[in-house]
Amino acid sequence: MREVRIRDTLTGELRPLEGDGEVGIYACGPTVYSRIHIGNARPFVVFSLFACFLRSEGYRPKLVVNVTDINDKIYVAARAAGKPSGEFAAEMKQAYCEDTDRLGLGRPDAEPLATETVAGIVSLIQELVDSGHAYESGGDVYFRVRSFGPYGKLSNRRPEDMDQGEDAGSASLKEERLDFALWKAHKPDEDTSWDSPWGPGRPAWHIECSVMAEQELGVTFAIHGGGSDLVFPHHENEIAQSEAAGRPFAKVWMHNGMIEMSDAKMSKSEGNIFQLSEALDRYGREAVVAYLISGHYRQPLAFGAEQMDEAVARVERLRNFFRDKALGAPVGGSAGKQRGGPGDPPTGARDGGARRLEAFKDALADDFNTPRALAEVFELVGEANRGEVDGGEAAQAVAEMLELVGLSTLTQPGEGVEADAEARQLMEEREEARAAKDFAKADELRDRLSELGWTVRDSADGPQLVPKA
Ligand SMILES: [Zn+2]
């Protein structure tokens, strides 16, 4: 079991995982008011693969990714869609699961819903009211920020620079501008509400996560994760609520950087390209996963046609490596044939695969450095293609590396399944619809292809039909 270290947002330090191997991870999941976009997929992929790596090292991770299904944005979007908010949120939750299932990384160990956590939320809010950390006002309940001394420690902000981003209507109900909502009184245009000691209403967003984390992982756990856009106010407020109520809460804070659109033209001309489902249709599961781990998780990651084309090319290079091997082409060759110069380590060729595999795992253990790990994969593929290392051993090591980053399907290149006439016809119609910018029709045709078991993938030779994973 390697020592695994993560850069902690709270202290800025590289912190080793403590304890006996149990690793509770809580990563903030989506608010289900629309289909998820490629940016939402980044934390899903990073934390799923991180948990997978920990498991492979002998740790016992439990990954919790919540679903926020009570939220202002859901009421607004449901009204626009002309549906009851509960029904709308359930549909969007289903779509989120379908979209992320297609990433092929499995489900988190637990996916709690805010709607199923309301009793626990009311009880934590009551504790905070009883201890003077929160107060009722006009049917709302607010957290009294000045009552929690360390407030601001995660985001390193001064109180005067903090804006809770809450609606202007609540300003007159707050003792201080800095306070934030724990409970919101029922409003006439909201079609759901829950009973509470403060009257009918619903939980505010931040308190949902404090309670779901505790219910799934206990009062203290190893890692709290999420996008860096959640550091303030969401995570700052989670700390305040939980620690003010005497819970030690998360030991390490692990934040992924944002996806930055680098290609304005692409977003305008392609409509909904940044939805995860669309990226999966266009580029395939492997390229999307490879793209999302191409940069270090803490750094921002540019997204555009250029980045995705690069990801497709990298994935193709790996697929070809295994395809060549399956076809009996020489991968590698006789071990060490180009070695043996003065000063070369005598064992360099034979243990090349094992050495790179160790370096790959070391990179993942060192603040989950996926770009450094992937560099080991491509170095080894290059060495094998040039015959510098034993081909069989290299292929085995590459396969093991790819397994750890969710790309093991690349080791079993398909036999080139031919699409039938009906599927080819639908694909042509879809291309025409896209050319005419009729994205609704294009989506409908994609769904019909999907029902027939096909995914359309763009390649250098134009769109291709590939069997759905
Ligand atoms: Zn959260």
Side-chain angles (χ1 to χ4, degrees):
M1 195 190 274
R2 277 174 178 71
E3 181 180 85
V4 173
R5 298 186 303 167
I6 288 297
R7 179 76 61 188
D8 175 24
T9 310
L10 182 64
T11 59
E13 291 166 3
L14 213 45
R15 302 265 306 274
L17 297 184
E18 296 169 1
D20 61 357
E22 300 277 353
V23 185
I25 305 171
Y26 184 91
C28 288
T31 298
V32 283
Y33 68 97
S34 65
R35 292 292 282 270
I36 68 162
H37 55 77
I38 187 96
N40 305 124
R42 190 178 197 193
F44 189 93
V45 167
V46 165
F47 290 102
S48 294
L49 291 178
F50 180 57
C52 161
F53 170 64
L54 290 177
R55 206 166 280 122
S56 77
E57 285 291 317
Y59 290 87
R60 296 182 304 285
K62 177 178 177 182
L63 175 61
V64 181
V65 180
N66 71 295
V67 173
T68 295
D69 61 349
I70 307 174
N71 191 278
D72 292 311
K73 290 176 181 167
I74 296 172
Y75 290 118
V76 172
R79 271 197 298 274
K83 291 185 178 175
S85 66
E87 182 187 322
F88 180 78
E91 277 176 21
M92 285 299 136
K93 194 249 176 189
Q94 180 65 26
Y96 156 71
C97 288
E98 286 170 12
D99 290 348
T100 46
D101 274 348
R102 291 179 60 195
L103 290 164
L105 306 177
R107 299 306 309 167
D109 299 299
E111 299 181 90
L113 298 170
T115 46
E116 292 173 358
T117 316
V118 176
I121 292 169
V122 167
S123 141
L124 180 61
I125 296 174
Q126 185 67 60
E127 269 188 62
L128 290 166
V129 169
D130 291 345
S131 60
H133 289 290
Y135 55 93
E136 187 270 341
S137 177
D140 292 358
V141 181
Y142 293 94
F143 187 88
R144 188 175 277 127
V145 167
R146 298 279 181 196
S147 76
F148 181 66
Y151 193 80
K153 66 179 177 176
L154 182 70
S155 56
N156 285 314
R157 288 175 192 229
R158 296 174 305 169
E160 51 271 34
D161 296 335
M162 297 187 205
D163 178 358
Q164 297 288 357
E166 298 188 346
D167 62 283
S170 65
S172 61
L173 296 173
K174 295 183 184 185
E175 289 177 1
E176 272 208 72
R177 186 184 57 89
L178 201 54
D179 296 348
F180 60 87
L182 301 173
W183 186 262
K184 304 286 283 177
H186 180 246
K187 293 189 180 71
D189 61 350
E190 295 174 355
D191 63 356
T192 51
S193 71
W194 289 263
D195 289 333
S196 82
W198 318 284
R202 62 180 174 87
W205 175 34
H206 316 303
I207 194 78
E208 297 175 358
C209 282
S210 277
V211 175
M212 287 191 267
E214 180 178 338
Q215 288 190 349
E216 293 293 343
L217 299 172
V219 293
T220 183
F221 52 92
I223 294 173
H224 194 314
S228 59
D229 57 334
L230 300 182
V231 171
F232 185 86
H234 187 52
H235 290 164
E236 196 73 74
N237 292 349
E238 284 188 42
I239 290 176
Q241 297 156 166
S242 292
E243 293 190 9
R247 278 78 160 161
F249 213 49
K251 291 176 182 154
V252 169
W253 287 84
M254 180 175 175
H255 288 104
N256 66 272
M258 297 291 98
I259 300 281
E260 295 178 348
M261 303 308 168
S262 68
D263 197 335
K265 192 179 90 219
M266 190 162 163
S267 74
K268 279 182 192 140
S269 65
E270 299 293 337
N272 56 1
I273 179 64
F274 298 127
Q275 282 191 352
L276 173 61
S277 58
E278 181 74 5
L280 287 164
D281 286 345
R282 267 186 84 121
Y283 301 107
R285 185 193 82 78
E286 292 97 343
V288 170
V289 172
Y291 159 72
L292 287 168
I293 58 171
S294 62
H296 190 277
Y297 75 87
R298 276 190 298 113
Q299 302 299 322
L301 186 62
F303 180 83
E306 189 186 330
Q307 287 79 16
M308 289 313 298
D309 289 346
E310 275 171 26
V312 168
R314 283 196 300 271
V315 157
E316 278 309 302
R317 196 172 161 213
L318 294 169
R319 208 192 304 273
N320 285 336
F321 175 70
F322 286 96
R323 194 176 281 144
D324 290 350
K325 191 169 176 297
L327 292 174
V331 172
S334 59
K337 67 184 179 187
Q338 292 174 19
R339 288 191 169 252
D344 268 354
T347 55
R350 270 234 64 89
D351 69 0
R355 195 163 35 88
R356 294 255 178 228
L357 179 58
E358 286 305 295
F360 175 94
K361 292 180 180 177
D362 286 345
L364 294 185
D366 180 15
D367 199 19
F368 204 54
N369 194 326
T370 52
R372 208 172 90 206
L374 290 175
E376 295 294 337
V377 173
F378 287 102
E379 289 286 343
L380 183 54
V381 166
E383 286 169 351
N385 285 338
R386 293 191 299 273
E388 294 168 11
V389 294
D390 181 84
E393 194 195 320
Q396 205 179 334
V398 171
E400 198 171 324
M401 295 177 189
L402 294 183
E403 172 89 41
L404 283 174
V405 288
L407 295 174
S408 60
T409 44
L410 296 176
T411 67
Q412 300 133 9
E415 293 293 306
V417 188
E418 274 292 305
D420 54 43
E422 184 188 2
R424 288 203 305 274
Q425 173 69 27
L426 288 172
M427 181 177 74
E428 275 173 32
E429 287 173 24
R430 180 168 184 266
E431 287 313 299
E432 283 161 19
R434 288 169 65 86
K437 304 219 184 305
D438 185 349
F439 295 113
K441 185 170 181 203
D443 281 352
E444 187 195 313
L445 289 161
R446 179 196 63 202
D447 291 344
R448 281 172 64 192
L449 280 164
S450 181
E451 281 161 21
L452 295 172
W454 297 97
T455 293
V456 186
R457 184 174 302 165
D458 288 340
S459 75
D461 305 323
Q464 289 178 344
L465 284 171
V466 291
K468 257 169 71 176

